[in-house]
Structures are given as C-alpha cells and as structure tokens.
Amino acid sequence: MIDANKDLSTQFPSLYNKEIMDNFRATMASSQELMSRYRCAIMEVETKFKVLNEQFSLQHDRNPIESIKTRLKSPDSILEKLHRKNLPLTLSSIENNLFDIAGIRVICSFVDDIYMLADCLIRQDDITLLEEKDYIRNPKENGYRSLHLIVEVPIFLQEEKRNVKVEVQLRTIAMEFWANLEHRLRYKKDLPEDVLIATESSLLECAEISSMLDKKMQSIRNVVEEK
C-alpha cells in the first residue's frame, strides 16, 4: 500500500529509473480521454443511486442513503498497482486490468439498505455485475466490513458508446466510521511490535462492537416499522 506521507520513489525504487518514469508520464499525459470516461461513469452510477434514494424516500418516507462519496484513482496509485501486479504501464493495461479506477462509496443507514440498493442497482438493464465481494457476511481478518461490487455501465459520448468499469462500495455509518479510523491508525509508523499487536486486537474488537451496533439498530428499526 502507498504511504501518502512518503515520496513514491522511496517506496518503489525499482520503478524510478528515467526510462520507466518518462514512459509512464507520457502514458498519463495521453490518458485524459480515458480518465474522462471514468469520471462520466462515476456520474452515471452516482445518479442511479440518487434516483433510487429519491424514489425510496417517496415510498417509505425515509432515505436509505446517508451520503455518497466518489473518487478517481490518482496516477501514483495507478502506477503502484500496475507495478504490484507486474502489468505493463500502458493505457490498455489500465483499462483492461484495473477495475477500481472509478470508485463510489455509498453510506447507508442500515445493513438491509445495503443489500436492497445493491439489488436495485444490478437489476437495472444497463448495469452488468462483473464481481461481488461480500465483506459484511464474510469480514476480512482485520474486521473490515463492506459490500464491494465491480459493475460495468455504458456511457454515451459524442460519437460512441463505451462500457466502463466502476467499483461500488456499500457500507453502514458504523462500518465507515471504523474503516476511516482503522485506515488512519494503520499508517502510523514506527510503533513497537507489542503496540502493533495490541492495536490490531483492539481494532478487531471495535469492528465486532460496530457490527453488533448495526445488528441492534436494524432490529430496532424492524420493530418500529412493524408498528
């Protein structure tokens, strides 16, 4: 993983000879059209979620989505991932092998909302589901929870239609809170081994507490809606 506080050349010295970097800079300089397509795909999927949120609020008098965050992978992150996967530093390599250049994170109120929204999205006839990883039912070893989807969505350009891949993450407020703090703490450097072990254990415990909170809030909502 990239440490945002360090220069990439110190993290991946094998990348930083002049020929490799000149070639990659030339690649990214010519990538404006490709990155524009990713930005358009983000807008397409984000709009779909906003429409679902609006429709659901009219029918049920509440919004299942708390917030939507979007991001486009940075050139440094693209370079690091291509290097880590031993892939060519070319535009076709980026487009064919990296499925998380365009990213959307949907923060939901309740766990049930996550699966409802995911189902509504992938049932739309212009969305193709390429991959699903359910880290809610099957959390990562460190306690991370989220539902990840890789979808393909068509974007209509001036003279053509292109299918573009987008990574969608859906999680609850509690999952987002835990993940953000875990990310900050994970990048804390120069901690003694015993502190690292204790921190990992504590973070895992916090993840379990967050999961229990989600289940409890879901249960309360179910009771309220039955009345």
Side-chain angles (χ1 to χ4, degrees):
M1 298 293 290
I2 292 176
D3 182 350
N5 296 317
K6 284 188 176 182
D7 189 281
L8 272 179
S9 61
T10 65
Q11 299 179 71
F12 304 101
S14 62
L15 281 172
Y16 279 77
N17 66 61
K18 186 178 187 303
E19 182 180 0
I20 288 176
M21 290 312 302
D22 285 348
N23 288 340
F24 186 71
R25 289 192 186 99
T27 295
M28 294 312 295
S30 63
S31 71
Q32 290 187 5
E33 183 178 346
L34 175 61
M35 302 310 285
S36 176
R37 293 202 295 268
Y38 283 121
R39 281 191 290 271
C40 291
I42 287 173
M43 288 188 286
E44 288 281 351
V45 177
E46 183 180 18
T47 298
K48 288 178 178 294
F49 279 116
K50 288 181 176 179
V51 170
L52 289 171
N53 195 45
E54 175 68 17
Q55 183 185 33
F56 192 91
S57 69
L58 289 174
Q59 295 176 351
H60 302 278
D61 197 30
R62 72 175 185 86
N63 295 99
I65 297 176
E66 291 291 328
S67 63
I68 300 175
K69 301 178 181 180
T70 66
R71 67 106 181 93
L72 193 66
K73 212 171 188 66
S74 70
D76 282 353
S77 294
I78 292 171
L79 173 60
E80 182 272 334
K81 194 160 190 178
L82 290 173
H83 174 66
R84 176 159 44 86
K85 290 180 172 289
N86 196 29
L87 294 168
L89 305 183
T90 64
L91 290 183
S92 61
S93 178
I94 293 170
E95 192 169 10
N96 295 329
N97 297 295
L98 303 187
F99 297 167
D100 61 346
I101 302 294
I104 292 182
R105 183 177 301 157
V106 181
I107 312 303
C108 300
S109 304
F110 301 95
V111 173
D112 279 3
D113 292 335
I114 290 174
Y115 293 104
M116 179 274 292
L117 289 167
D119 182 62
C120 288
L121 177 70
I122 62 179
R123 282 194 289 108
Q124 296 187 21
D125 57 14
D126 60 344
I127 289 286
T128 301
L129 177 65
L130 302 179
E131 183 179 295
E132 177 179 334
K133 292 183 179 179
D134 192 340
Y135 296 118
I136 299 174
R137 295 187 174 118
N138 303 289
K140 290 187 177 182
E141 289 185 1
N142 68 345
Y144 174 86
R145 288 170 168 82
S146 187
L147 178 65
H148 289 199
L149 308 174
I150 302 296
V151 300
E152 196 169 61
V153 61
I155 59 169
F156 296 87
L157 306 172
Q158 185 174 354
E159 297 180 353
E160 62 176 337
K161 179 182 80 170
R162 297 293 294 263
N163 292 318
V164 182
K165 300 175 183 67
V166 178
E167 181 188 53
V168 179
Q169 299 178 359
L170 299 104
R171 59 179 66 158
T172 64
I173 301 168
M175 294 173 194
E176 172 74 351
F177 174 75
W178 181 90
N180 283 340
L181 292 183
E182 189 272 346
H183 179 77
R184 294 181 190 180
L185 293 169
R186 184 159 47 93
Y187 282 100
K188 183 72 174 178
K189 298 300 181 182
D190 303 323
L191 291 176
E193 184 67 21
D194 60 332
V195 175
L196 284 173
I197 293 173
T199 299
E200 290 175 0
S201 176
S202 295
L203 285 169
L204 182 58
E205 182 182 357
C206 288
E208 294 298 329
I209 293 171
S210 295
S211 178
M212 290 173 60
L213 175 62
D214 274 333
K215 291 175 182 176
K216 187 66 175 177
M217 296 302 290
Q218 180 75 59
S219 177
I220 293 171
R221 194 202 77 178
N222 292 344
V223 170
V224 170
E225 292 191 345
E226 287 174 1
K227 300 301 181 182

